[in-house]
Amino acid sequence: MFILSIESSCDDSSIALTRIKDYKLFFHKKLSQELEHQTYGGVVPELASRLHAKALPQILEEIKEYLPKVEAIAVTNRPGLSVTLLEGVMMAKALHLTLQKPLIAVNHLVGHIYSLFIEKETSFPKTVLLVSGGHTMLLEAKSYKEIKLLATTLDDSFGESFDKVAKMMGLGYPGGPIIEELAKKGDSERFNFPIPLKNSHKLAFSFSGLKNAVRLKIEELSPLSYQDKCDIAASFQKSAIEHLLHKTKKIAPNELAIVGGASANLVLREKFKEHFSNVSFAELKFCTDNAAMIGRVGVEAFKRGDFISLEKLQASPKAEFT
Ligand code: KG4
Ligand code: ZN
């Protein structure tokens, strides 16, 4: 018996089937829209929504023979882009009506935390650093329902700053993997970009000042050579990671789990491993948005009978943990 889960909060259309009794990921597919959004240097919501409308039914078609074994439908309903969330929510409602199985509303950020537990037992309490395109947060998690925000960003998110720096250098989208790749060939000492909030006691993150410093350097050096781009990528990445490390150590000095799309960054992983005696990560393939993590939350909610009615299930851009 399975939980069918749906993820469409941004630019990944994904569906999974998770076995309820042992959390086994029976089916998982994700169709990413990166190529389609690349020319725009970021996600275009209307385009993303139309692509979900095409991709989600295409994936569902592949598992139609298993639909009679679905016990509940879990769907990301918040936070994210309203118009893309709606595609998943509408599919979940249609499945609820046809299969007569209950609905589970999943907070996407909780999903990222549960990417640590795919095909595994949960383990709480945990201090979690969530670094994605939409969020940069330090969280104290005791269960999927008890999550406390310890620190967040004052402006841009960590992943978003990589996307913006890549866009400024005309490198495409998503910027994270592109910047990480260029940085391998760059000199991280060439530019002395500021480490955000370094001399501030604020327990918060901020990336807009760093992004601005990078923008000014790009303007100063333009037209950029390939080596300039590599050096900017390496120097920027170094400052952004130093900042994450500096603030995280102040709040959570020992044990930490890191999740979210940007936690796929291998330099970030190495840096945190150097400084934390006990740091864990989600598997690389479950860092960026996926329905497997939504299904894992779905199993927990199913076991507690935590369902939502058709009328109450709404898509919302808000990030609150309620
Ligand atoms: O979790 P995710 O798939 O979507 C959101 O929930 O936002 O994260 C996507 C973000 C993008 O901003 C992308 O550039 C960033 O994660 N990202 C990375 C890397 N891979 C993805 N950032 C830095 N280094 C990477 N290797
Ligand atoms: Zn995400």
Side-chain angles (χ1 to χ4, degrees):
M1 290 303 177
F2 301 114
I3 298 293
L4 184 148
S5 55
I6 307 169
E7 159 63 37
S8 68
S9 66
C10 192
D11 61 341
D12 293 295
S13 316
S14 184
I15 294 181
L17 286 174
T18 307
R19 208 155 62 191
I20 295 167
K21 66 170 186 205
D22 57 3
Y23 330 117
K24 179 123 185 68
L25 194 55
F26 182 76
F27 172 88
H28 181 220
K29 185 152 185 178
K30 160 165 150 167
L31 292 175
S32 179
Q33 310 172 354
E34 282 168 6
L35 281 180
E36 286 86 349
H37 294 291
Q38 205 162 49
T39 42
Y40 305 100
V43 178
V44 181
E46 220 274 326
L47 172 61
S49 157
R50 272 188 285 127
L51 292 168
H52 284 305
K54 193 170 153 211
L56 288 173
Q58 208 175 307
I59 304 176
L60 191 67
E61 176 78 24
E62 288 186 37
I63 51 167
K64 61 178 184 220
E65 66 184 288
Y66 298 103
L67 293 182
K69 291 188 167 181
V70 168
E71 284 298 311
I73 303 122
V75 62
T76 304
N77 76 324
R78 67 196 191 282
L81 300 168
S82 297
V83 290
T84 64
L85 285 166
L86 263 177
E87 296 295 334
V89 166
M90 291 312 291
M91 174 176 264
K93 288 188 177 189
L95 284 167
H96 163 75
L97 289 170
T98 42
L99 302 175
Q100 292 292 304
K101 294 294 176 185
L103 289 163
I104 297 169
V106 179
N107 180 322
H108 179 79
L109 306 181
V110 179
H112 274 301
I113 297 176
Y114 275 71
S115 65
L116 294 163
F117 310 129
I118 289 168
E119 301 200 321
K120 285 187 204 145
E121 291 291 338
T122 57
S123 142
F124 289 116
K126 267 203 166 16
T127 309
V128 182
L129 175 64
L130 166 65
V131 275
S132 69
H135 300 89
T136 304
M137 293 174 161
L138 255 175
L139 303 163
E140 187 64 44
K142 291 194 176 145
S143 74
Y144 79 102
K145 282 188 106 69
E146 288 171 282
I147 295 166
K148 194 172 137 204
L149 180 65
L150 304 177
T152 186
T153 179
L154 303 173
D155 39 61
D156 292 346
S157 76
F158 179 79
E160 187 182 10
S161 70
F162 278 67
D163 294 334
K164 288 185 175 168
V165 167
K167 190 176 181 182
M168 286 189 257
M169 295 198 280
L171 297 171
Y173 172 86
I178 302 170
I179 295 286
E180 183 179 5
E181 202 47 41
L182 279 191
K184 286 182 191 160
K185 291 163 257 167
D187 174 6
S188 66
E189 304 295 324
R190 177 164 165 209
F191 304 111
N192 199 13
F193 293 132
I195 295 171
L197 304 177
K198 194 174 176 200
N199 301 314
S200 157
H201 292 298
K202 250 189 205 141
L203 295 177
F205 302 103
S206 167
F207 295 93
S208 67
L210 170 60
K211 180 190 68 186
N212 230 15
V214 174
R215 185 179 56 79
L216 292 175
K217 187 53 74 182
I218 291 171
E219 281 171 15
E220 182 193 318
L221 296 179
S222 282
L224 299 178
S225 67
Y226 181 70
Q227 195 55 50
D228 288 337
K229 291 182 186 176
C230 294
D231 294 344
I232 288 174
S235 305
F236 155 73
Q237 178 175 263
K238 179 171 162 246
S239 289
I241 293 173
E242 278 295 317
H243 169 48
L244 270 189
L245 196 56
H246 171 231
K247 292 295 175 188
T248 304
K249 281 215 88 167
K250 277 194 186 307
I251 302 169
N254 303 311
E255 233 185 292
L256 186 71
I258 311 185
V259 300
S263 69
N265 188 297
L266 297 180
V267 181
L268 177 151
R269 287 182 174 225
E270 283 314 307
K271 271 272 161 224
F272 273 80
K273 278 188 210 159
E274 275 171 30
H275 286 82
F276 281 81
S277 53
N278 190 344
V279 59
S280 53
F281 302 91
E283 261 184 77
L284 277 179
K285 63 179 177 219
F286 299 126
C287 287
T288 47
D289 294 348
N290 64 82
M293 65 188 195
I294 305 305
R296 187 64 188 85
V297 180
V299 173
E300 295 305 303
F302 180 82
K303 287 181 175 165
R304 289 164 176 77
D306 192 3
F307 303 123
I308 188 164
S309 67
L310 184 90
E311 297 74 27
K312 283 211 172 120
L313 177 62
Q314 301 292 339
S316 161
K318 295 202 182 115
E320 285 127 32
F321 295 102
T322 48

